[in-house]
Amino acid sequence: MPPPYSHIKVVREEDFRSRIGEDGHYFDLIDFSAIEGFNVPPTMTILRFKEKLTEKFGTPLQCQRLWWWARRQNNTYRVDRPLTTEEENLPVLNTNSLPTWSNMDDALVFLKHYDPGKAQLRYVGLLSVKVASRPSEILPKLRSLAGFCLSETIELYEEIKFEPSVWCEAIDIHNTFSAGEIITGDIICFQKILKPPDIPKYPSVASFLQHVCDQKTYEEVRKVHILEEEIVTLKHQADTYLVQKEKAVTAYDQLKHERDNAVQQVNELRDQSTHIILDFSRKDMEQATEHFKNAREIGDTEYGHTYKGMIHNMKVLIKLSSSQKLFQQEVSILSQWRHPNIITFIGVCSEVSALVYEWLPNGNLEDRIICTNNSAPLSWYNRTQIIGEICCALLFLHSNKSTALVHGDLRPCNILIDANYRSKICNFGMSNLFLQLGTFPPNLTARLPYMDPEFNTTEELTTLSDVYSLGVIILRLLTGMPPLTLSEKVAEALGSDSLHLLIDKSAGDWPYIEAKQLALIGLSCTGMTRKKRPDLLNEVWIVIEPLTRKPPAATWPYLQSASGDSSVPAAFICPISMEIMKDPQVASDGFTYEAEAIRSPMTNLALPNLNLVPNRVLRSFIHGYLQQQQPNPAYQQQLSET
């Protein structure tokens, strides 16, 4: 362990320049709080310490004379005795055991001059006197230091102590220093004697020191009073905070209770029927959007104004339709269609033609492609999944030939992204309201790159029109480039074998084979005529589906199946048979079941109808999952059956 160090403070003569005035700041000789100290080991000698002082202050050894300070019985620190040459080899920390100074004939006193007119007391120097001499003998020296005339009379005082009370006595200049008990380290204050009418408020050193002491006491009392007032204020603030905290906790508990009830009601409604549409009042809409506050508005399109709202402490998306006809058309469509990749429709407010949807926090696909507000770019895996999800949603919309629904305005801005980067289509089935014969759709510049070229001649939208839009979106996700003339650029890159130069590097290390497959199918979808475009199910999905088969590890919640395996994703389990689904089908209640289970008497669900739509995305995930489990014979058998 390193040796313990002691802290020693060294006072030089220039440190004695104390001054006491109206500010009340005062000390006997030295303001020790402003003096620099030295860390000294116990073995350091006085001589070595003097060498350190030479290094610090530049004072040569031969010019140094050290004096030892001591604490007196009245708690003042004064100079006690000098350190002799013979004592320089002693350790610095052992000077407490030094013998009493043998020189009793001389005394080193400190001089302070008091100016009554300025009410100022200041140090002017130190003086070595013979204790057998009289103070009258040093008057010429004092007149010289203060600049007094010979005719001016001087009076002397000994300043004995200042705190906690003043002790200042007049000195008889005709007695010897020894008779007046003046010793080394004492302070002698001198001033000229004033005559009326020049007598100031504090005519003597003693009266001035008493005034300063009183001022100091008053300041301390005032500070104590201020601190007491601050304590009272802080206590009041603390009490107020506790009351506010209790109110906040009560309000939080109430809001949490309301939210839990609302969530429970929503879940119960979903369990009863996915086709129940909640009916909201105008007041509900105004409260949800703070009276349609501008800060709540997040979009303004030809479909209407969209707002971020709060209903029962749950975030929702609220759209004010731009026309009553639009409102009725969308309600009619959304009440009939439900799919995992179509935005969930919650309710309506007929008073203001408002539609309420689920809130999707990651905005629309357009903003994610161009990284609006410096958002992180989508990874190549997320982009592949989004392409598969859009394709699956279109297959769902196009699946029923008698009531096939054409989106007609499939663009990245009409595809929303949820918290898990899953995509959901919105604003579908609305375009036919804009496409009046002989008129141009609104916002044509933004729509044109995604619009079926044959629409210009036929003025008709078909399912192949959606295929064209899908192709442009595939190429955009692949390259990150603007849509205008994008297909020509990709075709040229494929022809010159330079596709790798177009692929969006911000998506990460996109597997080149998969990227080329997407480029080819995207180009195929953007054929100028509908005859040249591929069939969505038999030609497009057959390419895209294998690319979406490998979900990242641990992205599904796990559930134990009836077979006893505890690592099967919950989404793969049929809620009726509790087995891994072989042929997942979306029923009319919006949930996915095994085809055989939903057709068998095993279910007691009262479904509106028995129309089933294949859930091809989920089936591909299950297929990929079962392939990974091939070492397990039970899974090999199930895989062969699928």
Side-chain angles (χ1 to χ4, degrees):
M1 292 180 61
Y5 285 80
S6 295
H7 198 67
I8 294 181
K9 293 196 173 184
V10 176
V11 178
R12 297 180 294 167
E13 187 174 1
E14 51 262 41
D15 295 325
F16 290 111
R17 307 301 177 189
S18 62
R19 174 172 294 187
I20 180 167
E22 295 177 358
D23 60 353
H25 182 61
Y26 181 74
F27 39 85
D28 286 331
L29 283 174
I30 295 296
D31 182 5
F32 281 101
S33 64
I35 299 300
E36 184 177 2
F38 294 83
N39 290 322
V40 179
T43 57
M44 179 176 286
T45 64
I46 295 175
L47 179 60
R48 178 68 187 100
F49 186 62
K50 291 175 70 175
E51 293 173 352
K52 285 181 65 70
L53 296 181
T54 300
E55 296 172 4
K56 177 67 177 178
F57 302 117
T59 307
L61 288 176
Q62 61 272 22
C63 298
Q64 293 183 27
R65 188 180 185 192
L66 301 186
W67 287 71
W68 182 252
W69 288 64
R71 184 175 181 177
R72 296 185 174 183
Q73 291 183 351
N74 61 10
N75 290 326
T76 60
Y77 283 90
R78 301 291 176 84
V79 172
D80 183 61
R81 55 156 292 179
L83 300 178
T84 64
T85 305
E86 293 77 12
E87 296 167 340
E88 288 186 346
N89 291 322
L90 294 175
V92 177
L93 301 183
N94 287 348
T95 48
N96 287 328
S97 60
L98 290 174
T100 305
W101 192 25
S102 58
N103 184 1
M104 305 300 294
D105 297 332
D106 298 306
L108 184 69
V109 296
F110 296 85
L111 305 176
K112 289 185 178 181
H113 169 233
Y114 175 59
D115 185 344
K118 296 181 180 179
Q120 187 179 85
L121 182 65
R122 63 187 180 89
Y123 169 83
V124 293
L126 50 84
L127 187 66
S128 179
V129 299
K130 296 291 183 179
V131 296
S133 64
R134 294 179 174 82
S136 58
E137 298 176 17
I138 66 171
L139 294 182
K141 175 69 173 178
L142 300 182
R143 286 192 175 91
S144 175
L145 289 173
F148 293 164
C149 300
L150 292 176
S151 60
E152 291 180 309
T153 306
I154 297 178
E155 56 184 359
L156 307 183
Y157 295 85
E158 179 187 0
E159 182 188 332
I160 301 172
K161 63 179 298 187
F162 178 75
E163 292 181 324
S165 59
V166 174
W167 189 357
C168 185
E169 295 181 349
I171 298 176
D172 186 350
I173 62 174
H174 301 295
N175 283 339
T176 62
F177 285 105
S178 60
E181 298 182 351
I182 303 296
I183 61 174
T184 293
D186 283 348
I187 301 173
I188 296 178
C189 302
F190 67 94
Q191 68 174 85
K192 62 182 177 181
I193 300 176
L194 300 178
K195 298 178 181 180
D198 298 329
I199 298 177
K201 189 174 182 179
Y202 309 109
S204 67
V205 173
S207 62
F208 174 69
L209 288 177
Q210 187 60 53
H211 160 69
V212 173
C213 186
D214 293 342
Q215 283 290 104
K216 187 173 183 180
T217 302
Y218 168 76
E219 286 297 319
E220 291 175 351
V221 171
R222 189 176 68 86
K223 289 179 181 178
V224 170
H225 180 66
I226 292 173
L227 289 174
E228 289 175 345
E229 289 182 343
E230 290 179 354
I231 290 172
V232 172
T233 302
L234 290 174
K235 185 178 179 181
H236 176 70
Q237 291 175 351
D239 293 340
T240 304
Y241 168 76
L242 289 176
V243 172
Q244 292 175 345
K245 181 181 178 182
E246 291 176 358
K247 291 181 179 179
V249 170
T250 302
Y252 169 79
D253 291 339
Q254 183 178 352
L255 290 173
K256 186 175 183 298
H257 179 70
E258 292 178 0
R259 178 189 177 279
D260 292 342
N261 287 340
V263 171
Q264 183 179 355
Q265 291 173 12
V266 170
N267 291 335
E268 289 174 354
L269 289 171
R270 285 178 176 172
D271 290 340
Q272 293 171 9
S273 173
T274 55
H275 295 292
I276 291 181
I277 306 301
L278 300 179
D279 191 14
F280 297 103
S281 66
R282 181 189 186 96
K283 183 179 180 181
D284 292 331
M285 296 295 97
E286 291 176 346
Q287 289 179 345
T289 60
E290 299 180 48
H291 296 276
F292 303 104
K293 190 176 181 180
N294 288 338
R296 288 280 190 173
E297 186 173 354
I298 58 175
D300 179 12
T301 67
E302 61 273 18
Y303 292 104
H305 296 269
T306 53
Y307 296 85
K308 179 180 180 181
M310 291 288 291
I311 297 179
H312 298 303
N313 296 312
M314 184 169 60
K315 293 180 182 178
V316 294
L317 179 68
I318 298 174
K319 180 171 71 177
L320 297 183
S321 294
S322 57
S323 71
Q324 184 65 23
K325 192 174 182 181
L326 258 179
F327 171 73
Q328 294 174 353
Q329 177 80 1
E330 189 158 6
V331 171
S332 173
I333 293 173
L334 290 174
S335 61
Q336 301 177 48
W337 300 88
R338 177 182 173 129
H339 187 271
N341 299 116
I342 292 176
I343 189 169
T344 301
F345 181 44
I346 297 175
V348 299
C349 174
S350 301
E351 295 178 69
V352 292
S353 299
L355 301 103
V356 182
Y357 309 94
E358 63 176 319
W359 172 255
L360 301 175
N362 277 319
N364 63 58
L365 183 58
E366 178 67 31
D367 289 339
R368 298 317 305 256
I369 291 176
I370 63 177
C371 298
T372 300
N373 297 326
N374 294 320
S375 59
L378 293 168
S379 68
W380 67 267
Y381 176 80
N382 283 334
R383 300 185 192 209
T384 304
Q385 296 303 309
I386 289 172
I387 291 171
E389 290 160 359
I390 298 171
C391 187
C392 188
L394 290 178
L395 283 171
F396 175 76
L397 297 175
H398 300 171
S399 59
N400 194 328
K401 300 300 180 181
S402 60
T403 57
L405 181 62
V406 178
H407 190 290
D409 192 21
L410 189 63
R411 294 179 286 153
C413 63
N414 288 330
I415 300 170
L416 303 182
I417 309 297
D418 70 8
N420 296 317
Y421 293 93
R422 299 304 178 192
S423 57
K424 300 199 177 191
I425 297 176
C426 64
N427 294 331
F428 54 91
M430 297 290 99
S431 56
N432 61 318
L433 298 177
F434 296 124
L435 305 179
Q436 305 296 331
L437 191 63
T439 63
F440 289 101
N443 201 9
L444 182 61
T445 303
R447 276 190 168 85
L448 191 59
Y450 302 93
M451 190 179 294
D452 181 359
E454 284 200 17
F455 171 75
N456 294 328
T457 56
T458 65
E459 294 188 347
E460 179 187 6
L461 292 173
T462 70
T463 56
L464 288 172
S465 302
D466 285 345
V467 172
Y468 182 88
S469 304
L470 173 64
V472 180
I473 293 173
I474 291 173
L475 298 182
R476 283 212 68 193
L477 286 169
L478 182 65
T479 65
M481 299 173 66
L484 199 61
T485 69
L486 180 55
S487 58
E488 289 86 346
K489 295 175 183 176
V490 174
E492 183 180 346
L494 284 170
S496 61
D497 199 21
S498 59
L499 178 64
H500 61 283
L501 299 177
L502 287 188
I503 296 175
D504 190 354
K505 303 299 186 298
S506 68
D509 297 328
W510 206 318
Y512 183 73
I513 294 177
E514 294 184 9
K516 189 172 183 179
Q517 287 179 295
L518 289 174
L520 291 170
I521 197 65
L523 274 182
S524 177
C525 291
T526 56
M528 293 300 292
T529 62
R530 293 169 186 168
K531 291 182 180 180
K532 293 183 179 180
R533 294 172 206 157
D535 178 76
L536 187 62
L537 175 61
N538 298 317
E539 297 178 74
V540 179
W541 178 246
I542 201 171
V543 173
I544 292 176
E545 188 242 3
L547 304 182
T548 62
R549 280 184 182 177
K550 298 180 181 180
T555 58
W556 300 88
Y558 288 96
L559 181 74
Q560 184 167 355
S561 69
S563 62
D565 190 286
S566 60
S567 62
V568 180
F572 296 175
I573 304 298
C574 174
I576 298 175
S577 66
M578 296 304 294
E579 291 287 347
I580 299 176
M581 290 180 282
K582 304 174 186 177
D583 185 14
Q585 300 281 330
V586 180
S588 57
D589 64 349
F591 293 95
T592 300
Y593 304 88
E594 171 58 31
E596 291 300 321
I598 195 66
R599 293 190 182 105
S600 72
M602 294 175 62
T603 176
N604 293 321
L605 296 176
L607 300 175
N609 57 68
L610 292 179
N611 295 335
L612 301 177
V613 178
N615 193 333
R616 295 182 174 86
V617 171
L618 182 58
R619 186 181 187 281
S620 68
F621 283 153
I622 295 174
H623 187 74
Y625 173 79
L626 293 176
Q627 281 185 327
Q628 295 175 1
Q629 306 298 324
Q630 281 185 1
N632 187 326
Y635 285 114
Q636 282 185 322
Q637 181 180 357
Q638 194 160 7
L639 177 61
S640 63
E641 292 175 357
T642 59

